[in-house]
Coordinates of all heavy atoms in Angstrom, one line a residue:
A1488 N 0.8 -1.2 0.0 CA 0.0 0.0 0.0 C 0.9 1.2 0.0 O 1.9 1.3 0.6 CB -0.9 0.0 1.2
L1489 N 0.4 2.3 -0.7 CA 1.1 3.5 -0.7 C 0.7 4.4 0.5 O -0.4 4.4 0.9 CB 0.8 4.3 -2.0 CG 1.1 3.5 -3.3 CD1 0.6 4.3 -4.5 CD2 2.6 3.4 -3.4
P1490 N 1.7 5.1 1.0 CA 1.4 5.9 2.2 C 0.4 7.1 1.9 O 0.4 7.7 0.8 CB 2.7 6.5 2.7 CG 3.6 6.4 1.5 CD 3.1 5.2 0.6
D1491 N -0.4 7.4 2.9 CA -1.4 8.5 2.7 C -0.8 9.8 2.4 O -1.4 10.6 1.7 CB -2.3 8.6 4.0 CG -3.3 7.5 4.1 OD1 -3.7 7.0 3.0 OD2 -3.8 7.2 5.2
G1492 N 0.4 10.2 2.9 CA 0.9 11.5 2.7 C 1.8 11.6 1.4 O 2.4 12.6 1.2
L1493 N 1.7 10.6 0.6 CA 2.5 10.6 -0.7 C 2.1 11.7 -1.6 O 0.9 11.8 -2.0 CB 2.4 9.3 -1.4 CG 3.2 9.0 -2.6 CD1 4.7 8.9 -2.2 CD2 2.8 7.8 -3.3
P1494 N 2.9 12.7 -1.9 CA 2.5 13.8 -2.8 C 2.4 13.5 -4.3 O 1.6 14.1 -5.0 CB 3.6 14.9 -2.5 CG 4.8 14.1 -2.1 CD 4.3 12.9 -1.4
S1495 N 3.3 12.6 -4.7 CA 3.3 12.3 -6.2 C 4.0 11.0 -6.5 O 4.7 10.5 -5.7 CB 4.0 13.5 -6.9 OG 5.4 13.5 -6.5
L1496 N 3.7 10.5 -7.7 CA 4.4 9.3 -8.2 C 5.3 9.9 -9.3 O 4.8 10.6 -10.2 CB 3.4 8.3 -8.8 CG 2.6 7.5 -7.9 CD1 1.6 6.6 -8.6 CD2 3.5 6.7 -6.9
G1497 N 6.5 9.5 -9.3 CA 7.4 10.0 -10.3 C 7.3 9.3 -11.6 O 6.6 8.3 -11.8
P1498 N 7.9 9.8 -12.7 CA 7.9 9.2 -14.0 C 8.4 7.7 -13.9 O 9.3 7.4 -13.2 CB 8.9 10.0 -14.8 CG 8.9 11.3 -14.1 CD 8.8 11.0 -12.7
C1499 N 7.7 6.9 -14.6 CA 8.0 5.4 -14.7 C 8.0 4.7 -13.4 O 8.7 3.7 -13.2 CB 9.4 5.3 -15.4 SG 9.5 5.9 -17.1
A1500 N 7.3 5.2 -12.4 CA 7.3 4.7 -11.0 C 7.0 3.2 -11.0 O 7.6 2.4 -10.3 CB 6.3 5.4 -10.1
F1501 N 6.0 2.7 -11.8 CA 5.6 1.3 -11.8 C 5.8 0.7 -13.2 O 5.2 -0.3 -13.5 CB 4.2 1.1 -11.3 CG 4.0 1.4 -9.9 CD1 3.6 2.7 -9.4 CD2 4.2 0.4 -8.9 CE1 3.4 2.9 -8.1 CE2 4.0 0.7 -7.6 CZ 3.6 1.9 -7.1
S1502 N 6.5 1.4 -14.0 CA 6.7 0.9 -15.4 C 7.2 -0.5 -15.5 O 8.1 -0.9 -14.7 CB 7.8 1.8 -16.1 OG 7.9 1.5 -17.4
R1503 N 6.6 -1.3 -16.3 CA 6.9 -2.7 -16.5 C 6.7 -3.6 -15.3 O 7.3 -4.7 -15.2 CB 8.4 -2.9 -17.0 CG 8.6 -2.2 -18.4 CD 10.0 -2.4 -18.8 NE 10.3 -1.8 -20.1 CZ 10.2 -2.3 -21.3 NH1 9.9 -3.6 -21.4 NH2 10.5 -1.6 -22.3
C1504 N 5.8 -3.2 -14.4 CA 5.5 -4.0 -13.2 C 4.4 -5.0 -13.6 O 3.2 -4.7 -13.5 CB 5.1 -3.1 -12.1 SG 4.8 -4.0 -10.6
S1505 N 4.8 -6.1 -14.1 CA 3.8 -7.1 -14.6 C 2.9 -7.7 -13.6 O 1.9 -8.3 -13.9 CB 4.5 -8.1 -15.5 OG 5.4 -8.8 -14.7
S1506 N 3.3 -7.7 -12.3 CA 2.5 -8.3 -11.3 C 1.5 -7.4 -10.7 O 0.7 -7.8 -9.9 CB 3.5 -8.8 -10.2 OG 4.2 -7.8 -9.6
L1507 N 1.5 -6.1 -11.0 CA 0.5 -5.1 -10.5 C -0.8 -5.3 -11.2 O -0.9 -5.2 -12.4 CB 1.1 -3.7 -10.7 CG 0.2 -2.6 -10.1 CD1 0.2 -2.7 -8.6 CD2 0.8 -1.2 -10.6
V1508 N -1.8 -5.6 -10.4 CA -3.2 -5.9 -10.9 C -4.1 -4.7 -10.7 O -4.9 -4.4 -11.5 CB -3.8 -7.2 -10.3 CG1 -5.2 -7.4 -10.7 CG2 -2.9 -8.4 -10.7
S1509 N -4.1 -4.2 -9.5 CA -5.0 -3.1 -9.1 C -4.2 -2.2 -8.1 O -3.4 -2.6 -7.4 CB -6.2 -3.6 -8.5 OG -7.1 -2.6 -8.1
I1510 N -4.6 -0.9 -8.2 CA -4.0 0.0 -7.2 C -4.9 1.2 -6.9 O -5.6 1.7 -7.8 CB -2.6 0.6 -7.8 CG1 -1.9 1.4 -6.7 CG2 -2.8 1.4 -9.0 CD1 -0.4 1.6 -7.0
A1511 N -5.0 1.5 -5.6 CA -5.8 2.6 -5.1 C -4.8 3.6 -4.7 O -4.0 3.4 -3.7 CB -6.7 2.2 -4.0
L1512 N -4.8 4.8 -5.3 CA -3.8 5.8 -5.0 C -4.3 6.6 -3.8 O -5.5 6.8 -3.7 CB -3.6 6.7 -6.2 CG -3.1 5.9 -7.4 CD1 -3.1 6.8 -8.7 CD2 -1.7 5.3 -7.2
P1513 N -3.4 7.1 -3.0 CA -3.9 7.9 -1.8 C -4.6 9.1 -2.1 O -4.3 9.8 -3.1 CB -2.6 8.2 -1.0 CG -1.4 7.7 -1.9 CD -2.0 7.0 -3.0
A1514 N -5.6 9.5 -1.3 CA -6.5 10.6 -1.6 C -5.7 11.9 -1.8 O -6.2 12.8 -2.6 CB -7.5 10.8 -0.4
G1515 N -4.6 12.2 -1.2 CA -3.9 13.4 -1.3 C -2.9 13.5 -2.4 O -2.2 14.5 -2.6
L1516 N -2.8 12.5 -3.2 CA -1.9 12.4 -4.3 C -2.2 13.6 -5.3 O -3.3 13.7 -5.8 CB -2.0 11.1 -5.1 CG -0.8 10.8 -6.0 CD1 0.5 10.5 -5.3 CD2 -1.2 9.6 -6.9
A1517 N -1.2 14.4 -5.6 CA -1.3 15.6 -6.5 C -1.0 15.3 -7.9 O -1.6 15.9 -8.8 CB -0.5 16.7 -6.0
S1518 N -0.1 14.3 -8.2 CA 0.3 14.1 -9.6 C 0.8 12.7 -9.8 O 1.4 12.1 -8.9 CB 1.3 15.1 -10.0 OG 2.5 15.0 -9.3
I1519 N 0.6 12.2 -11.0 CA 1.2 11.0 -11.5 C 2.1 11.3 -12.6 O 1.7 11.9 -13.6 CB 0.1 10.0 -11.9 CG1 -0.9 9.7 -10.8 CG2 0.6 8.7 -12.5 CD1 -2.1 8.9 -11.2
G1520 N 3.3 10.9 -12.5 CA 4.3 11.2 -13.6 C 4.1 10.5 -14.9 O 3.4 9.5 -15.0
S1521 N 4.7 11.1 -15.9 CA 4.6 10.5 -17.2 C 5.1 9.0 -17.2 O 6.0 8.7 -16.6 CB 5.3 11.3 -18.3 OG 6.7 11.4 -17.9
L1522 N 4.4 8.2 -18.0 CA 4.7 6.8 -18.1 C 4.8 6.0 -16.8 O 5.4 5.0 -16.8 CB 6.1 6.6 -18.9 CG 6.1 7.3 -20.3 CD1 7.5 7.3 -20.8 CD2 5.1 6.8 -21.2
A1523 N 4.1 6.5 -15.8 CA 4.2 5.9 -14.5 C 3.7 4.4 -14.5 O 4.3 3.6 -13.7 CB 3.4 6.7 -13.5
F1524 N 2.8 4.1 -15.3 CA 2.2 2.7 -15.3 C 2.4 2.1 -16.7 O 1.7 1.2 -17.1 CB 0.8 2.7 -14.9 CG 0.5 3.1 -13.5 CD1 0.2 4.4 -13.2 CD2 0.7 2.2 -12.5 CE1 0.0 4.8 -11.9 CE2 0.5 2.6 -11.2 CZ 0.1 3.9 -10.9
R1525 N 3.4 2.6 -17.4 CA 3.7 2.1 -18.8 C 4.0 0.6 -18.8 O 4.7 0.1 -17.9 CB 4.9 2.8 -19.4 CG 5.3 2.4 -20.8 CD 6.5 3.2 -21.2 NE 7.6 2.9 -20.4 CZ 8.7 2.2 -20.8 NH1 8.7 1.7 -22.0 NH2 9.7 1.9 -20.0
L1526 N 3.4 -0.1 -19.7 CA 3.6 -1.6 -19.9 C 3.3 -2.4 -18.7 O 4.0 -3.4 -18.4 CB 5.1 -1.8 -20.4 CG 5.4 -1.2 -21.7 CD1 6.9 -1.3 -22.0 CD2 4.7 -1.9 -22.8
C1527 N 2.3 -2.0 -17.9 CA 1.9 -2.8 -16.8 C 0.9 -3.8 -17.3 O -0.3 -3.6 -17.4 CB 1.2 -2.0 -15.7 SG 2.4 -1.0 -14.8
S1528 N 1.4 -5.0 -17.7 CA 0.6 -5.9 -18.5 C -0.5 -6.6 -17.7 O -1.4 -7.2 -18.4 CB 1.5 -7.0 -19.0 OG 2.2 -7.7 -18.0
S1529 N -0.6 -6.5 -16.4 CA -1.7 -7.1 -15.6 C -2.6 -6.1 -15.0 O -3.6 -6.5 -14.4 CB -1.1 -8.0 -14.5 OG -0.3 -9.1 -15.1
L1530 N -2.3 -4.9 -15.1 CA -3.1 -3.8 -14.5 C -4.5 -3.7 -15.0 O -4.7 -3.5 -16.2 CB -2.4 -2.5 -14.6 CG -2.9 -1.3 -13.8 CD1 -2.9 -1.6 -12.3 CD2 -2.1 0.0 -14.1
A1531 N -5.5 -3.9 -14.2 CA -6.9 -3.9 -14.6 C -7.7 -2.7 -14.2 O -8.6 -2.2 -14.8 CB -7.6 -5.2 -14.2
S1532 N -7.3 -2.2 -13.0 CA -8.1 -1.0 -12.5 C -7.2 -0.1 -11.7 O -6.3 -0.5 -11.0 CB -9.3 -1.4 -11.7 OG -8.9 -2.1 -10.5
V1533 N -7.5 1.2 -11.8 CA -6.7 2.2 -11.1 C -7.8 3.2 -10.5 O -8.7 3.6 -11.3 CB -5.7 3.0 -12.0 CG1 -5.1 4.1 -11.2 CG2 -4.7 2.0 -12.5
Y1534 N -7.6 3.6 -9.3 CA -8.5 4.6 -8.7 C -7.7 5.9 -8.5 O -6.8 5.9 -7.6 CB -9.2 4.1 -7.4 CG -10.0 2.9 -7.7 CD1 -9.5 1.6 -7.6 CD2 -11.3 3.1 -8.2 CE1 -10.3 0.5 -7.9 CE2 -12.1 2.0 -8.5 CZ -11.6 0.7 -8.4 OH -12.4 -0.4 -8.7
V1535 N -7.9 6.9 -9.3 CA -7.2 8.1 -9.2 C -7.9 9.2 -8.4 O -9.1 9.4 -8.6 CB -6.9 8.7 -10.7 CG1 -6.2 10.0 -10.6 CG2 -6.2 7.6 -11.5
P1536 N -7.2 9.8 -7.4 CA -7.9 10.8 -6.6 C -8.4 12.0 -7.4 O -7.7 12.4 -8.4 CB -6.8 11.2 -5.6 CG -5.7 10.2 -5.7 CD -5.8 9.6 -7.0
A1537 N -9.5 12.6 -7.0 CA -10.0 13.8 -7.6 C -8.9 14.9 -7.5 O -8.3 15.0 -6.5 CB -11.3 14.2 -6.9
G1538 N -8.8 15.6 -8.6 CA -7.8 16.7 -8.6 C -6.4 16.3 -8.9 O -5.5 17.2 -9.0
C1539 N -6.1 15.0 -9.1 CA -4.8 14.6 -9.4 C -4.4 14.8 -10.8 O -5.2 14.4 -11.7 CB -4.7 13.1 -9.0 SG -3.1 12.3 -9.3
D1540 N -3.3 15.4 -11.1 CA -2.9 15.6 -12.5 C -2.2 14.3 -13.0 O -1.3 13.7 -12.3 CB -1.8 16.7 -12.6 CG -2.5 18.1 -12.3 OD1 -3.6 18.3 -12.7 OD2 -1.8 18.9 -11.7
V1541 N -2.6 13.8 -14.1 CA -2.1 12.6 -14.7 C -1.2 13.0 -15.9 O -1.5 13.6 -16.8 CB -3.2 11.7 -15.2 CG1 -2.7 10.4 -15.9 CG2 -4.2 11.3 -14.1
G1542 N 0.1 12.6 -15.7 CA 1.1 12.9 -16.7 C 0.9 12.2 -18.1 O 0.2 11.2 -18.2
R1543 N 1.6 12.8 -19.0 CA 1.5 12.3 -20.4 C 1.9 10.8 -20.5 O 2.9 10.4 -20.0 CB 2.4 13.1 -21.3 CG 2.3 12.8 -22.7 CD 3.1 13.8 -23.5 NE 2.9 13.5 -24.9 CZ 3.7 14.0 -25.9 NH1 4.7 14.8 -25.6 NH2 3.5 13.7 -27.1
G1544 N 1.0 10.0 -21.1 CA 1.3 8.6 -21.3 C 1.4 7.8 -20.0 O 2.0 6.7 -20.0
A1545 N 0.8 8.3 -18.9 CA 0.9 7.6 -17.6 C 0.5 6.1 -17.7 O 1.0 5.3 -17.0 CB 0.1 8.3 -16.5
F1546 N -0.5 5.8 -18.6 CA -1.0 4.5 -18.7 C -0.7 3.9 -20.1 O -1.4 3.0 -20.5 CB -2.5 4.4 -18.4 CG -2.8 4.9 -17.0 CD1 -3.2 6.2 -16.7 CD2 -2.6 4.0 -15.9 CE1 -3.4 6.6 -15.4 CE2 -2.9 4.4 -14.6 CZ -3.3 5.7 -14.4
H1547 N 0.3 4.4 -20.8 CA 0.7 4.0 -22.1 C 0.9 2.5 -22.2 O 1.7 2.0 -21.5 CB 1.9 4.8 -22.6 CG 2.4 4.5 -23.9 ND1 1.6 4.8 -25.1 CD2 3.4 3.8 -24.4 CE1 2.3 4.4 -26.1 NE2 3.4 3.8 -25.7
T1548 N 0.2 1.9 -23.1 CA 0.3 0.5 -23.4 C 0.1 -0.4 -22.2 O 0.6 -1.6 -22.2 CB 1.6 0.1 -24.1 OG1 2.7 0.3 -23.3 CG2 1.7 0.8 -25.5
S1549 N -0.5 0.1 -21.1 CA -0.9 -0.8 -20.0 C -2.2 -1.4 -20.4 O -2.9 -1.0 -21.3 CB -0.9 -0.1 -18.7 OG -2.1 0.8 -18.7
T1550 N -2.7 -2.4 -19.6 CA -3.9 -3.1 -19.9 C -5.1 -2.6 -19.0 O -6.0 -3.3 -18.7 CB -3.7 -4.6 -19.7 OG1 -3.2 -4.8 -18.4 CG2 -2.8 -5.2 -20.7
V1551 N -5.0 -1.3 -18.6 CA -6.0 -0.8 -17.7 C -7.4 -0.9 -18.3 O -7.6 -0.4 -19.4 CB -5.7 0.7 -17.3 CG1 -6.9 1.3 -16.5 CG2 -4.5 0.8 -16.5
V1552 N -8.3 -1.5 -17.6 CA -9.7 -1.6 -18.1 C -10.5 -0.5 -17.5 O -11.3 0.2 -18.2 CB -10.3 -3.0 -17.6 CG1 -11.8 -3.0 -18.0 CG2 -9.6 -4.1 -18.3
R1553 N -10.2 -0.1 -16.2 CA -10.9 1.0 -15.6 C -9.9 2.0 -15.0 O -9.0 1.6 -14.3 CB -11.8 0.5 -14.4 CG -13.0 -0.4 -14.9 CD -13.8 -0.8 -13.7 NE -12.9 -1.3 -12.6 CZ -13.3 -2.1 -11.6 NH1 -14.5 -2.4 -11.5 NH2 -12.4 -2.4 -10.7
H1554 N -10.1 3.2 -15.4 CA -9.2 4.3 -14.9 C -10.2 5.3 -14.4 O -10.7 6.2 -15.1 CB -8.4 4.8 -16.0 CG -7.6 6.1 -15.7 ND1 -6.9 6.7 -16.7 CD2 -7.5 6.8 -14.6 CE1 -6.4 7.8 -16.1 NE2 -6.7 7.8 -14.9
R1555 N -10.6 5.2 -13.1 CA -11.6 6.0 -12.5 C -11.1 7.0 -11.6 O -10.1 6.8 -10.9 CB -12.7 5.1 -11.8 CG -13.3 4.1 -12.7 CD -14.5 3.5 -12.0 NE -14.2 3.0 -10.7 CZ -15.0 2.3 -9.9 NH1 -16.2 2.1 -10.4 NH2 -14.7 1.9 -8.7
R1556 N -11.7 8.2 -11.5 CA -11.3 9.2 -10.6 C -12.2 9.1 -9.4 O -13.4 9.0 -9.5 CB -11.5 10.6 -11.2 CG -10.4 10.8 -12.3 CD -10.3 12.3 -12.6 NE -9.3 12.5 -13.6 CZ -8.1 12.9 -13.2 NH1 -7.7 13.0 -12.0 NH2 -7.2 13.1 -14.2
R1557 N -11.7 9.3 -8.2 CA -12.4 9.4 -7.0 C -13.1 10.8 -6.9 O -12.5 11.7 -7.3 CB -11.6 9.2 -5.8 CG -11.1 7.8 -5.6 CD -10.3 7.7 -4.3 NE -9.8 6.4 -4.2 CZ -8.8 6.1 -3.3 NH1 -8.3 7.0 -2.5 NH2 -8.4 4.8 -3.2
R1558 N -14.2 10.9 -6.3 CA -14.9 12.1 -6.1 C -14.3 12.8 -4.9 O -13.9 12.2 -3.9 CB -16.4 12.0 -5.9 CG -17.1 11.5 -7.1 CD -18.5 11.4 -6.9 NE -19.2 10.8 -8.0 CZ -20.3 10.2 -7.9 NH1 -20.9 10.0 -6.8 NH2 -20.8 9.7 -9.0
R1559 N -14.3 14.1 -4.9 CA -13.8 14.9 -3.7 C -14.9 14.8 -2.7 O -16.1 14.8 -3.0 CB -13.6 16.3 -4.1 CG -12.4 16.5 -4.9 CD -12.1 18.0 -5.2 NE -11.1 18.1 -6.2 CZ -10.1 18.9 -6.1 NH1 -10.0 19.7 -5.1 NH2 -9.2 19.0 -7.0
R1560 N -14.5 14.8 -1.4 CA -15.4 14.7 -0.3 C -15.5 16.0 0.4 O -14.6 16.8 0.4 CB -15.0 13.7 0.7 CG -15.2 12.3 0.1 CD -14.9 11.3 1.1 NE -14.9 10.0 0.4 CZ -14.9 8.9 1.1 NH1 -14.9 8.8 2.4 NH2 -14.9 7.7 0.4

């Protein structure tokens, strides 16, 4: 699990992580770097916090079926 206070995910943070199936990003996450989930061949769902900036190609050639944003509370 990612820590609640995590401010951002850097570029290529999980790139080529073939064992990653699903991930819920912390509510306070402000940005996801470019190509962060590139080539994640097993990734099926991602829950992106509301207001989080998603970098260019963050999910490039991954197998994400659902890329949903969480609503702000």
Side-chain angles (χ1 to χ4, degrees):
L1489 299 173
D1491 283 337
L1493 187 69
S1495 64
L1496 285 179
C1499 301
F1501 291 95
S1502 183
R1503 298 182 182 265
C1504 185
S1505 61
S1506 61
L1507 186 64
V1508 175
S1509 177
I1510 190 166
L1512 302 171
L1516 192 72
S1518 65
I1519 297 172
S1521 60
L1522 305 173
F1524 295 96
R1525 179 182 66 108
L1526 297 170
C1527 290
S1528 58
S1529 300
L1530 188 60
S1532 66
V1533 176
Y1534 297 94
V1535 179
C1539 181
D1540 291 324
V1541 178
R1543 186 175 183 192
F1546 299 97
H1547 180 70
T1548 64
S1549 69
T1550 55
V1551 173
V1552 174
R1553 291 182 315 201
H1554 171 186
R1555 299 191 313 183
R1556 290 195 177 267
R1557 290 184 181 166
R1558 292 183 185 151
R1559 289 184 189 225
R1560 291 182 188 194

